């Protein structure tokens, strides 16, 4: 059985929902859409939603080079959390209400990725995370690359918590008059909506559509 | 036009997407399902997904009384962020790719809510946030209330960012060969799944179903 890399990513409660298997944790990262990154800035802690991607060893995040949080994050301790909500759990007691979810928490030191080739590859990975489209876009300009900051956080201090179950009530409550169970929640992509200014015949390539169709 | 309460919740980029109207920000909180709260602990910053609810003046969050983050949050500066992803935006240049989303960032000092009546009311609000069900569950025990920690963070230092648009490309790229537009993403509730151990005739009340049906 897998074990947590460090004490600070070891689950202290709900330990039966803990998942420390590397492949299982990567699967959650692959299924998520945004990460919430927390960093300490000159004016306190901030948590912001960010697009992301991953290699086998790092989660990659990007933003404006003017982003105070990203600047604060470079070389300092951050926490990056990815959560997918899979449903609502309603138990006989509100105390045992919960959600079904998959979440990954990554703690560690963020590094700025500045080497041009590595940075471009990181941007491609982030761009292609939800739907592969980097190669079908026009090439990035030097100015755009300069305006973008990219950081990586090692996938080392990482743990996941996965709940995928019905209600778990106290034995004394079983047989009570309350309904208990779960209500699944899924995300559904709609039809792509082209801009009015898109020229006739422009289409999304199949590899992009594969990421955004059911 | 509404203005940010403090400099540290004023949007510095994407200012055309900023929303400081109180009602508009509350509407985002009402539509969200989980918050990501960041706090500083003895072992660094942590960001965790949490169920929440709100009054007109505070966002309310709860967790185990053994929760190090909640304990750390009481009386200290925290950041609570709620994000809803509404779609993927694909531009002609990956640089202008984005998501459509609604997010609210709340910064401020968390207070522990310990007075029994206020704490019970806060738990009811959190429980009823997604689907109203507090009153149809069996009553909370004193032991359960003791095992639960509740905090409130003022809805004062708060700002929202809302993007709901197609691709916004550079003028020079208009008319290019790339598809540009957005792909909507919505959440869909499935049919409620009762536990095997639910007695015949137990049903979810209409006020609960109203929150978890399309």
């Amino acid at each position: 059985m897998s074990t947590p890399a460090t004490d600070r990513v070891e689950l202290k409660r709900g330990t039966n929902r803990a998942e420390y298997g590397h492949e299982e944790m990567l699967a959650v990262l692959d299924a998520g859409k945004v990460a919430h990154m927390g960093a300490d800035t000159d004016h306190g802690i901030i948590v912001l939603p960010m697009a992301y991607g991953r290699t086998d060893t790092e989660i990659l995040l990007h933003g404006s080079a003017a982003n105070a949080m990203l600047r604060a994050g470079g070389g300092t301790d951050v926490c990056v959390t990815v959560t997918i909500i899979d449903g609502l759990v309603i138990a006989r007691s509100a105390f045992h209400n919960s959600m079904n979810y998959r979440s990954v928490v990554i703690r560690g030191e963020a590094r700025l990725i500045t080497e041009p080739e590595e940075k471009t590859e990181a941007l491609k990975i982030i761009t292609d995370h939800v739907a592969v489209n980097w190669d079908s876009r026009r090439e990035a300009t030097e100015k755009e690359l300069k305006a973008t900051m990219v950081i990586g956080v090692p996938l080392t201090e990482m743990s996941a918590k996965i709940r995928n179950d019905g209600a778990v009530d106290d034995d004394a409550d079983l047989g009570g008059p309350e309904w208990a169970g779960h209500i699944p929640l899924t995300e559904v992509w709609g039809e792509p909506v082209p801009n009015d200014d898109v020229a006739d015949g422009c289409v999304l390539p199949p590899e992009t559509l594969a990421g955004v169709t059911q």
Side-chain angles (χ1 to χ4, degrees), chain A residues 2 5 12 76 113 116 119 128 141 153 155 162 179 189 204 209:
Chain A
S2 298
K12 305 299 188 296
T76 65
I113 297 177
K119 185 172 174 178
D128 288 347
T141 65
V153 184
L155 299 180
I162 298 176
W179 187 92
W189 291 106
L204 280 169
L209 285 169

Side-chain angles (χ1 to χ4, degrees), chain A residues 171-193:
Chain A
D171 286 346
D173 291 326
L174 300 181
E178 303 88 359
W179 187 92
H182 68 100
I183 305 155
L185 185 70
T186 50
E187 289 180 318
V188 177
W189 291 106
E191 283 296 311
V193 181

Side-chain angles (χ1 to χ4, degrees), chain A residues 17 88-91 96 98 100 163-169 180-182:
Chain A
R17 317 273 187 205
L88 187 66
V89 179
I90 299 185
H96 287 297
S98 186
N100 280 327
R163 192 195 194 285
N164 178 19
D165 208 351
V168 180
D169 274 301
H182 68 100

